Structures are given as C-alpha cells and as structure tokens.
C-alpha cells in the first residue's frame, strides 16, 4: 500500500512539473503548441493516476462523466470559430469554477449527512473554494452570454455598487456561519451558494466589452484559486498544484492587462466602461472623410512603411488571411510591413496574435505596443482594421474620457491613417473614437474580408 501511494505521489509530481513546463512554453507563440501538449500530457497522467487511488470508487460514473465532458469538448473545440474563442474560454473557465463549487457542496452535504464537523482549516478552505468557484461560474456564464450576443453588453442595477457590497457581505456572513456553527442549518448552505452565484451575476452584468478581456482573465484566476482550495480539501496534490499555477498565472495576467489599460482592477469591476458617460459623442468634432479602395491601395503601394493594427473587426470578418496576402504583396514591391498588437486588442488576451499566426504571419513581424509605438511617427500609413479603443487618442488628451490614461497605439501619429470599418457607429465599448475625425485619417467602409480583398486587387493593378 505504501509503495502504491509513493508511486501515485510521484506521478502527481511529474504531472505538476508538466503543467508548469507547459505553461512556460505557452508564453511564446513559437513553443505554445508544445506547451499545450505537455500540459495535456500532465492532465492525462493525473487523471489516470486518480483511477489508481486506493479509496477511489464509482469508476463507471467517472468514465461516463469523462466521456461526456471529453466528447463535448472535442466536438466544440473542433467546430468553434476563432471569433468565438473568447466566449468558449469564458464558459470553459466557468465550468472549472463550477466544478470546484460542486466539490465543496458535496463535502458540505457529506458533513451534514454524517453529522460530523470537518477540521477548521479544511472547512474554511472548502467555504472559500465554494465562494470563489460559484462567483467564477456565474460570472463566466454572464461573460459568455455577453460575448455570444445573448444579452446586452452592459446593464446596471440602481445603486449597483451598494448591491454588490450587500451581496458580498451576505455571502461572507453565511460562509462564516457555516464554518463557525457546530451544526449549521441546511438553509444556510443553500443561501450561501445562492448569494455567491448571484454576486457573480450582478458584478459581471454592468461590465462592457472594453473590460471583458480583463474580466475573463480575472475569473480564470478565481477558478485556479478555487480548484487549489478544493484540492487541499480532497487531499489531491495535482489539484492543489494545478490550481495554484492557474491562479498565479491568471492573477499576473490580470494585473498586466489592468496596467495596459492604466486602470486598477477595482475600477474595472465597479466603474466599468460603458460609453454612457460620454453621451455617445464624447465632444468629438469634425467630420469623417471617406476613401475608396483605389485611394487606399495607392497610399500603401507608394509608401515606404505600413503598420497594420488588427482588431476584433478583422476577427469577425475572418480577414487575417487576406491581410497577410496584402502584406506579402506590399513586401514584394519593397514596402516594409509590420503588425502592431495592443495587450487588450480583441476580446481575449493574445486573440490577435493567434489570428495572425493562423494566417502564417511570421512572429518577428508582430510587435507589442512598447516595441512599436515609437515607429508610428516615421510610418507612411497606419492601417487600422476593426480596432477602436486601443487607437483612440482621447486616452491621451481627454481627462473626462473613461479610457483616459490608457496606453494606446499611436496610430494617429502616422502620416496617413486608414480605418477599415463596417459602419459609422462607435466601437464595442460605446466610446466614440476621435481618431476617425483626425485630418490625416480616411475611413474605408466595408467588411474587412471584402475591403482587404479589394485592396489586394487594386495593389496588383497598380503594380502591373
């Protein structure tokens, strides 16, 4: 028996090492695929070893659950579009939080059924895991619904922050009662989970699209913490280590993204960007000037340097392959082309990087904000495709703007700016973009796929 336990613990240790090494390799697009394989191998090992645990039973239920969950994940993973990846990440993350909360609920139910009290530390961690996991689950479900277009982007309750605080205090009070009381009533447990789930909903519903990448990352950190706590409750080293790794990585990513927006996390949660503060026009003056495909093609054909700024509009139109075709065509005639990525571009961290990599854009042509911002002033054309807040110059100039102080890509400093956009409305956050009204900006309306395809045709004609 002791030898078996040693082998199981060693296997969990190897799985933990694979998790950590896999996460490390995911930090670079060059090694990300291998990182995913390594982490997947670690998860497979941890799952198989769990079946060998001496006190384990209900093997049939475990196999059925794995078959259902694995099958659903395989099918959805194969079918999901890249544009829908953020909401898929959100809902999968929510499932992790929900699983952690469910583990705690079962432990509490067993405690009630047996009339025994868990150890204070174990009980406290179970309550914490249940609270955090439930908030992450319901909040991630709302994030999924928003990104999928199933509900309005932002909805605020009257006295929203006061309601948040009241629900938080209620959930904490009920959790404390479950921990402290010798034999808490069943209704307390039910009310505790209901309050935690409701808190996740009401905290997330007011948050608009501009803040959604940070929220997804934050809930990812929550899920990791919840899983780590419940791993301690179950005495499972793999869950503890995996939860700690995910929680730490998610926390660091959330902090980095909040820094990229120059907004504290508390501000993102309790003063979300909705665009309402600006009344729809934000005091922007001037007119938007339209350009034709021939005008835009000529600007880029005879430019020396072009910087492409991709955004969610490119993702929606699945235009990344056409964009790279255009870039290759320009490079063939001597134009230098680079791609500029803002840390919160798209609706998920790394969203634009993945899309460009999918199209075959070399990694050395893709630059982050800090690396490329100084180059815009020496750039002939900045081509903005579906991006909005990340290139809005009011972030530097208008103290009344919700995005004031947020580091942006300095596209407005290029000699010419071309914005490919489907229509004249504001972006996903609802904030009007002053870049569209600058003297050096021209609007090129249309779906990115068709618009860039027309540019490719015109560039070929001009280069013939």
């Amino acid at each position: 028996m002791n030898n078996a336990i040693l082998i199981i613990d060693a296997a969990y240790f190897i799985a933990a090492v694979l998790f950590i090494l896999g996460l490390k390799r995911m930090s670079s697009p060059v090694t990300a695929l291998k990182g995913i394989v390594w982490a997947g191998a670690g998860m497979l090992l941890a799952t198989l070893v769990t079946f060998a645990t001496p006190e384990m039973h209900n093997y049939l239920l475990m196999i059925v659950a794995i078959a259902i969950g694995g099958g659903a994940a395989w099918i959805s993973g194969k079918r999901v579009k890249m544009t829908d990846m953020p909401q898929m990440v959100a809902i999968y993350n929510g499932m992790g939080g929900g699983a952690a909360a469910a583990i705690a609920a079962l432990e509490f139910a067993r405690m009630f059924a047996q009339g025994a009290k868990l150890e204070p530390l174990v009980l406290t961690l179970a309550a914490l895991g249940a609270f955090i996991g439930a908030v992450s689950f319901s909040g991630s479900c709302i994030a999924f619904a928003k990104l999928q277009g199933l509900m309005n982007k932002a909805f605020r309750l009257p006295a929203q922050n006061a309601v948040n605080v009241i629900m938080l205090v209620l959930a904490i009070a009920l959790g404390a009662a479950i921990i402290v009381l010798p034999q808490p009533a069943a209704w307390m447990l039910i009310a505790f989970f209901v309050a935690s789930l409701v808190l996740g909903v009401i905290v997330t519903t007011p948050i608009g699209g501009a803040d959604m990448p940070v929220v997804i990352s934050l809930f990812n950190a929550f899920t990791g913490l919840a899983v780590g706590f419940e791993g301690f409750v179950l005495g499972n080293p793999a869950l503890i280590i995996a939860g700690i790794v995910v929680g730490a990585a998610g926390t660091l990513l959330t902090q980095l993204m909040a820094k990229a927006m120059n907004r504290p996390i508390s501000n993102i949660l309790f003063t979300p960007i909705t665009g309402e503060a600006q009344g729809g026009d934000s005091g922007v003056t001037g007119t938007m000037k339209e350009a034709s495909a021939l005008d835009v093609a000529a600007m880029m054909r005879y430019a020396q340097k072009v910087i492409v700024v991709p955004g969610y509009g490119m993702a929606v139109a699945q235009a990344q392959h056409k964009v790279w075709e255009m870039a290759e065509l320009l490079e063939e005639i001597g134009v230098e082309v680079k791609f500029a990525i803002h840390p919160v571009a798209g609706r998920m961290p790394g969203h634009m990087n993945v899309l460009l990599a999918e199209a075959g854009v070399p990694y050395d042509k893709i630059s982050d904000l800090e690396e490329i911002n100084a180059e815009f002033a020496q750039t002939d054309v900045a081509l903005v495709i579906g991006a909005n807040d990340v290139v809005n110059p009011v972030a530097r100039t208008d103290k009344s703007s919700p995005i004031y102080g947020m580091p942006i890509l300095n596209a407005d400093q290029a000699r010419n700016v071309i914005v490919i956009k489907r229509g004249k409305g504001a972006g996903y956050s609802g904030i009007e973009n002053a870049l569209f009204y600058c003297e050096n900006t021209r609007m090129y309306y249309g779906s990115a796929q068709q618009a860039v395809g027309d540019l490719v045709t015109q560039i070929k004609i001009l280069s013939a």
Side-chain angles (χ1 to χ4, degrees):
M1 180 67 72
N2 289 335
N3 289 336
I5 293 175
L6 287 175
I7 292 173
I8 290 171
D9 288 344
Y12 279 144
F13 177 77
I14 294 172
V17 171
L18 288 171
F19 289 155
I20 295 170
L21 292 177
L23 186 63
K24 171 63 177 175
R25 296 183 76 82
M26 288 181 210
S27 63
S28 168
V30 180
T31 58
L33 180 58
K34 290 183 179 179
I36 292 171
V37 172
W38 286 21
M43 182 58 69
L44 177 62
L45 176 61
T47 303
L48 293 175
V49 169
T50 301
F51 278 88
T53 304
E55 64 270 17
M56 194 60 63
H57 57 282
N58 288 332
Y59 293 110
L60 179 60
L61 289 177
M62 293 168 62
I63 292 171
V64 170
I66 290 174
I68 294 173
W74 178 269
I75 294 171
S76 60
K78 284 287 187 179
R79 292 181 177 178
V80 67
K81 299 178 182 178
M82 281 305 303
T83 49
D84 295 335
M85 193 60 72
Q87 47 264 51
M88 186 178 187
V89 170
I91 197 65
Y92 278 9
N93 175 66
M95 294 301 105
I103 290 171
L106 288 174
E107 291 300 311
F108 286 135
R110 180 161 33 188
M111 180 182 74
F112 283 118
Q114 296 175 354
K117 191 78 168 179
L118 298 174
E119 294 180 12
L121 178 59
V122 174
L123 189 58
T124 301
L125 291 179
L128 282 172
F131 170 68
I132 297 172
V135 170
S136 177
F137 171 71
S138 59
S140 296
C141 288
I142 295 298
F144 168 82
K146 285 173 172 286
L147 294 174
Q148 191 67 19
L150 302 178
M151 65 179 294
N152 292 333
K153 290 182 288 187
F155 173 77
R156 291 184 67 83
L157 295 169
Q160 175 74 51
N161 290 339
V163 175
N164 290 346
V165 172
I166 291 171
M167 195 57 63
L168 174 63
V169 171
L170 177 61
I172 292 175
L174 289 167
I178 293 170
I179 295 170
V180 173
L181 294 178
Q183 191 63 37
W187 69 264
M188 291 184 179
L189 181 62
I190 295 172
F192 168 67
F193 277 98
V194 170
S196 301
L197 290 168
V198 171
L199 179 62
V201 171
I202 64 175
V203 165
T204 313
T205 47
I207 296 174
D211 294 323
M212 197 53 69
V214 184
V215 173
I216 292 175
S217 178
L218 180 63
F219 284 144
N220 181 60
F222 280 3
T223 294
L225 289 173
V227 169
F229 288 150
E230 301 310 333
F232 189 91
V233 172
L234 297 177
N236 189 308
L239 282 180
I240 295 173
I241 296 171
I244 291 172
V245 170
V246 172
T251 301
L252 289 172
L253 179 59
T254 302
Q255 291 176 335
L256 289 171
M257 295 180 70
K259 182 180 178 182
M261 297 179 70
N262 195 36
R263 301 177 67 212
I265 296 173
S266 59
N267 187 266
I268 292 171
L269 291 176
F270 302 116
T271 315
I273 294 175
T274 63
E276 295 172 359
Q278 295 197 1
D281 59 14
S282 69
V284 175
T285 59
T287 57
M288 290 188 281
K289 298 167 284 295
E290 191 172 349
S292 67
L294 178 59
D295 296 332
V296 176
M299 285 185 194
M300 293 194 294
R301 164 63 182 85
Y302 298 106
Q304 291 184 325
K305 184 174 183 177
V306 173
I307 295 180
V308 180
V309 181
Y312 190 69
M314 184 188 77
V316 170
Q318 287 288 289
Q320 60 269 26
H321 297 280
K322 277 292 180 184
V323 170
W324 177 230
E325 180 185 351
M326 179 193 70
E328 286 185 301
L329 185 61
L330 289 171
E331 288 185 330
E332 288 174 4
I333 55 180
V335 180
E336 181 185 3
V337 181
K338 289 188 175 183
F339 293 82
I341 307 295
H342 192 280
V344 294
R347 296 185 182 178
M348 184 179 69
H351 197 186
M352 294 300 106
N353 302 72
V354 173
L355 286 173
L356 294 176
E358 181 190 37
V361 180
Y363 304 124
D364 59 357
K365 293 189 177 296
I366 303 173
S367 301
D368 293 330
L369 179 146
E370 294 84 0
E371 300 171 328
I372 202 167
N373 241 1
E375 298 184 29
F376 278 101
Q378 290 79 44
T379 298
D380 297 300
V381 179
L383 179 64
V384 180
I385 307 177
N388 194 59
D389 298 317
V390 298
V391 291
N392 194 339
V394 300
R396 293 195 305 260
T397 59
D398 186 0
K399 292 184 178 181
S400 67
S401 171
I403 63 171
Y404 177 73
M406 170 182 167
I408 61 166
L409 290 164
N410 296 332
D412 59 308
Q413 296 179 3
R415 296 184 183 92
N416 297 283
V417 181
I418 303 299
V419 178
I420 297 179
K421 200 169 182 294
R422 284 179 296 178
K424 297 183 179 182
Y428 192 69
S429 70
I431 300 173
E432 190 64 80
N433 195 335
L435 175 68
F436 302 162
Y437 299 86
C438 290
E439 283 298 318
N440 60 334
T441 299
R442 296 295 181 272
M443 308 298 294
Y444 177 32
Y445 295 112
S447 171
Q449 176 79 257
Q450 182 63 47
V452 177
D454 292 342
L455 290 180
V456 169
T457 301
Q458 293 295 336
I459 292 170
K460 287 180 178 178
I461 292 174
L462 292 170
S463 303

